[in-house]
Amino acid sequence: MITTVKAGPYSVRGLSLGGVYTALHVPELDVAFDCGVPLRSAAGVGTLCLSHAHADHIGALNALLGIRGLQGVKAPLRVIMPAEIVDTLLVALRAMTELQRWPLDIQPIGVEPGDVVPLKGDLSVRALRTFHPVPSLAYQVVRRVQKLKPEHAGMPGAEIGARRKAGTADELFETVEHPELAYVTDTLISALEHSPALLKSKVLIMETTFLDARKSLEASRAGCHIHLDEVIEHADMFTMPHLVMMHISQLYQPADVSPILDARLPSELRARTQVLLPDAGWPA
Ligand SMILES: [Zn+2]
Ligand SMILES: [Zn+2]
């Protein structure tokens, strides 16, 4: 029942139903986001980023760690999370370890907004502020590449090679960040205005929990969630190549969603928008 959305160079695989479970895996980045349901295919992932500790986002962590053990993965899972929740999560995992009599170890990495954690190769992930009733974060995966400074553009390779040999090549280069993919969930939409860099991502995965008047804008904001009314109001902000909506409320059936988006989103934005939805009804 796992759904895959292809967004540019990335596959966003997983399950997401607002308030019930959200768990995503982007294999090309070797990163998973949240763990509201254990994704067997993501159990060996390099890094898991947790947005916050509501049950629909972390409730299946011990199950995922159990599957990881079954698959014979020895390295403890790196889990990036809001710094405020690390101690309590470790207490919970210790309790589950005691119940299971089998170690459910992780490598915890507590972060605050602005912190950057290296991933594989030239990738890193940056934590950004979100607005929810509990400690919470968005994440943006960036690719950091060394590029010739503009004043050295066109320098012949042989000269660069000579400078490298002489140990003076570093000053020719600057580090440029390419924002690849962002994950923004369980937040007021003001998180995007607070961190506009999120909007520069090639792929923006974003909760759009409520889609029409079945939930009022006021009630959506009171729960610190994003309503489609707000996406429409701020449509000119959403210029990224790929917008992936998820965390849709169970007020809607999967088949309801596309017709609502077709009717309500500006057509140019609709063409760049996909939704993480199962083909048939919501799984159990
Ligand atoms: Zn949620
Ligand atoms: Zn939440």
Side-chain angles (χ1 to χ4, degrees), residues 209-262:
T209 306
F210 303 110
L211 303 174
D212 63 14
R214 268 171 259 190
K215 189 78 159 188
S216 72
L217 187 50
E218 293 67 36
S220 170
R221 283 187 183 150
C224 294
H225 285 296
I226 296 175
H227 196 291
L228 188 65
D229 287 9
E230 296 166 304
V231 179
I232 294 165
E233 187 191 336
H234 298 285
D236 55 351
M237 285 196 318
F238 294 92
T239 55
M240 67 289 306
H242 303 279
L243 175 60
V244 179
M245 294 179 165
M246 49 117 224
H247 201 271
I248 305 290
S249 163
Q250 55 187 336
L251 288 174
Y252 308 92
Q253 281 303 311
D256 299 338
V257 177
S258 279
I260 295 173
L261 298 184
D262 293 346

Side-chain angles (χ1 to χ4, degrees), residues 18-19 22 52 54 56-57 132 185-186 225 247:
T22 290
H52 65 303
H54 279 158
D56 58 318
H57 295 261
H132 206 50
T185 194
D186 290 55
H225 285 296
H247 201 271

Side-chain angles (χ1 to χ4, degrees), residues 8-271:
Y10 300 114
S11 323
V12 182
R13 307 182 70 243
L15 292 165
S16 179
L17 174 57
V20 180
Y21 43 63
T22 290
L24 303 181
H25 178 212
V26 182
E28 296 86 354
L29 298 172
D30 195 25
V31 170
F33 297 100
D34 284 338
C35 188
V37 63
L39 298 178
R40 199 161 47 107
S41 54
V45 74
T47 304
L48 169 67
C49 299
L50 296 177
S51 63
H52 65 303
H54 279 158
D56 58 318
H57 295 261
I58 70 156
L61 181 57
N62 56 325
L64 186 79
L65 296 174
I67 297 167
R68 188 176 175 92
L70 269 182
Q71 290 181 354
V73 182
K74 294 277 181 270
L77 178 59
R78 271 162 47 107
V79 184
I80 301 176
M81 68 191 99
E84 302 95 315
I85 71 171
V86 172
D87 289 349
T88 316
L89 184 63
L90 291 178
V91 169
L93 288 175
R94 269 198 293 276
M96 288 308 299
T97 294
E98 209 173 301
L99 285 169
Q100 281 221 154
R101 303 185 184 191
W102 178 267
L104 295 171
D105 293 334
I106 61 167
Q107 183 193 333
I109 304 175
V111 290
E112 312 216 350
D115 287 351
V116 176
V117 180
L119 300 173
K120 282 190 178 160
D122 54 6
L123 296 169
S124 303
V125 63
R126 175 175 287 121
L128 295 143
R129 181 140 192 235
T130 50
F131 301 94
H132 206 50
V134 295
S136 63
L137 291 169
Y139 295 98
Q140 185 180 42
V141 178
V142 298
R143 194 178 293 282
R144 291 179 149 176
V145 293
Q146 293 289 106
K147 196 176 155 237
L148 271 178
K149 287 180 183 167
E151 61 266 34
H152 303 302
M155 183 179 274
E159 196 180 333
I160 298 170
R163 297 277 288 260
R164 281 220 165 95
K165 266 195 185 147
T168 58
D170 282 359
E171 66 208 40
L172 302 176
F173 292 92
E174 60 187 353
T175 304
V176 178
E177 265 191 11
H178 295 296
E180 296 293 319
L181 177 140
Y183 176 68
V184 181
T185 194
D186 290 55
T187 180
L188 295 170
I189 197 167
S190 53
L192 299 174
E193 287 153 318
H194 191 265
S195 304
L198 287 167
L199 296 161
K200 302 278 183 219
S201 311
K202 277 184 203 151
V203 179
L204 174 62
I205 304 169
M206 187 182 79
E207 74 139 296
T208 314
T209 306
F210 303 110
L211 303 174
D212 63 14
R214 268 171 259 190
K215 189 78 159 188
S216 72
L217 187 50
E218 293 67 36
S220 170
R221 283 187 183 150
C224 294
H225 285 296
I226 296 175
H227 196 291
L228 188 65
D229 287 9
E230 296 166 304
V231 179
I232 294 165
E233 187 191 336
H234 298 285
D236 55 351
M237 285 196 318
F238 294 92
T239 55
M240 67 289 306
H242 303 279
L243 175 60
V244 179
M245 294 179 165
M246 49 117 224
H247 201 271
I248 305 290
S249 163
Q250 55 187 336
L251 288 174
Y252 308 92
Q253 281 303 311
D256 299 338
V257 177
S258 279
I260 295 173
L261 298 184
D262 293 346
R264 302 203 61 210
L265 273 183
S267 58
E268 195 277 327
L269 175 54
R270 176 71 186 99

